[in-house]
Amino acid sequence: ILNIQYICNTIMYSFISHQDELGKSINTACQNLFTQIQALNIEALPFEPFFRQYFIKCHLTRPYFSLKTSAKLLYEGITATGKHYKDVIVMDYGAGLGTLYIIAKMIGVKKIIYNDLLSEFAMPAIEVDKVLGHIMDEYIIGDTEDTCKQLAAKNIICDVIVGRNVVEHIYDLKDYFSIIHRYQPRAILYNSTTANWNNPAAHIQHIFLHKKYRPTVVAQKINIIKTKIPTITTEDANQLAMCLVQYGGIEFENAIEEFASTKKFPTPKNDYTNVCDENGTWSEHLIKFSDYKKMAPQYDVTFKPGFWDEDYKSFAKRMLGKTLNIVTNILGNAGVVSTSFIYVIAKPKQ
């Protein structure tokens, strides 16, 4: 259903404050995309219920903030290259059902590549793109190395690889940085993440989320362990799952096989409060700034503060967002202690 009130309110709405050519182009694209998304008949799209609700939550519940975060990340990423945006090749890494890659296509970057680890997310994204009439130059599905190999096969050299709320979920960040640098040595990696170690409130919130999610992860891993080792006792399955709460992917599978052969419990990882599912996806991984730098020796890694949502329906929340943004702006780069999310920027060392 077309939301006339939202559209009318958005006609003069600024999604990005920058007034240079790139900023104006992104703002116009966001205004047009906002109108298109509001007019989408979500129920008519061939989505599973999970993805329908995911889309609604991400883009219709807080629509201004969703587009503003994509707009700002795209602007910052392109600007970091020092090139005109029409000469820049961008990959949206772990794009899911996002909007950044659509905005990039709308402003006319040289080439935009959509990427996601899972086809379950990519297929609904492609359906949305078809309905909106914005088809990406490339759609690549796969993990970091698979993606880089596909880029190499197509002779695509990226200028900037952006990721919104992805870096905190990557299982092995050292491997991630190493692989991308090997295949795409000139690409700037521009990521945003809400898992902000330096913001005390965000830090406490994420510890709470980890503890809340831990029983679910343990239960899932117990079921997998019992399936792979049918003769295991319930007590041993429970203990093994607790040992493997921070293991994922091939490491998780190998650890189960090792236990089946030796009956020795693996050494638990001590990665703070974080938990990781069996596929190797962290739950909002809190990482110290110093650890980011250690895991990316090929890059100069820096950090910048993001911003708070100022578009809540609640007056109190709007005022809180505005106030915290003022504080963040005053603090400059030290505003990472007060912002809702941060940018993690990795520029290849010369």
Side-chain angles (χ1 to χ4, degrees), residues 108-138:
V109 298
K110 183 176 181 180
K111 189 183 291 287
I112 175 67
I113 300 99
Y114 169 100
N115 163 262
D116 201 81
L117 172 65
L118 301 172
S119 60
E120 294 91 333
F121 270 99
M123 294 305 106
I126 292 171
E127 291 299 325
V128 171
D129 293 353
K130 289 178 181 176
V131 173
L132 296 179
H134 307 301
I135 308 302
M136 302 306 112
D137 296 293
E138 299 285 346

Side-chain angles (χ1 to χ4, degrees), residues 139-290:
Y139 291 92
I140 295 180
I141 300 169
D143 63 16
T144 307
E145 187 147 26
D146 286 339
T147 297
C148 286
K149 286 180 177 179
Q150 290 181 63
L151 290 173
K154 296 174 183 291
N155 295 315
I156 296 174
I157 300 174
C158 297
D159 296 295
V160 60
I161 298 173
V162 295
R164 180 184 167 196
N165 296 342
V166 174
V167 70
E168 69 267 32
H169 298 297
I170 297 172
Y171 185 61
D172 189 337
L173 271 177
K174 186 174 182 180
D175 197 43
Y176 160 80
F177 285 118
S178 175
I179 290 171
I180 291 186
H181 189 266
R182 188 184 340 136
Y183 285 94
Q184 295 282 326
R186 84 176 190 195
I188 295 171
L189 311 184
Y190 219 104
N191 288 280
S192 67
T193 174
T194 57
N196 181 2
W197 180 284
N198 288 50
N199 180 326
H203 195 126
I204 292 170
Q205 178 195 32
H206 281 80
I207 290 175
F208 172 77
L209 290 173
H210 297 162
K211 291 186 180 298
K212 182 180 178 182
Y213 189 44
R214 182 175 290 258
T216 301
V217 171
V218 171
Q220 290 171 345
K221 291 187 174 181
I222 288 172
N223 289 334
I224 294 169
I225 289 166
K226 287 183 174 180
T227 300
K228 291 184 176 292
I229 313 176
T231 58
I232 194 170
T233 66
T234 297
E235 182 180 357
D236 282 352
N238 292 348
Q239 185 175 346
L240 182 56
M242 290 301 296
C243 289
L244 300 179
V245 73
Q246 294 180 339
Y247 281 68
I250 192 65
E251 265 196 312
F252 175 65
E253 294 178 9
N254 289 344
I256 295 174
E257 291 178 5
E258 180 71 16
F259 178 84
S261 299
T262 66
K263 299 297 186 266
K264 292 182 180 179
F265 291 98
T267 303
K269 293 184 179 181
N270 184 25
D271 203 328
Y272 201 40
T273 65
N274 299 293
V275 290
C276 176
D277 71 15
E278 66 275 13
N279 298 314
T281 301
W282 288 103
S283 174
E284 305 287 331
H285 198 179
L286 280 167
I287 302 173
K288 296 178 182 177
F289 285 6
S290 58

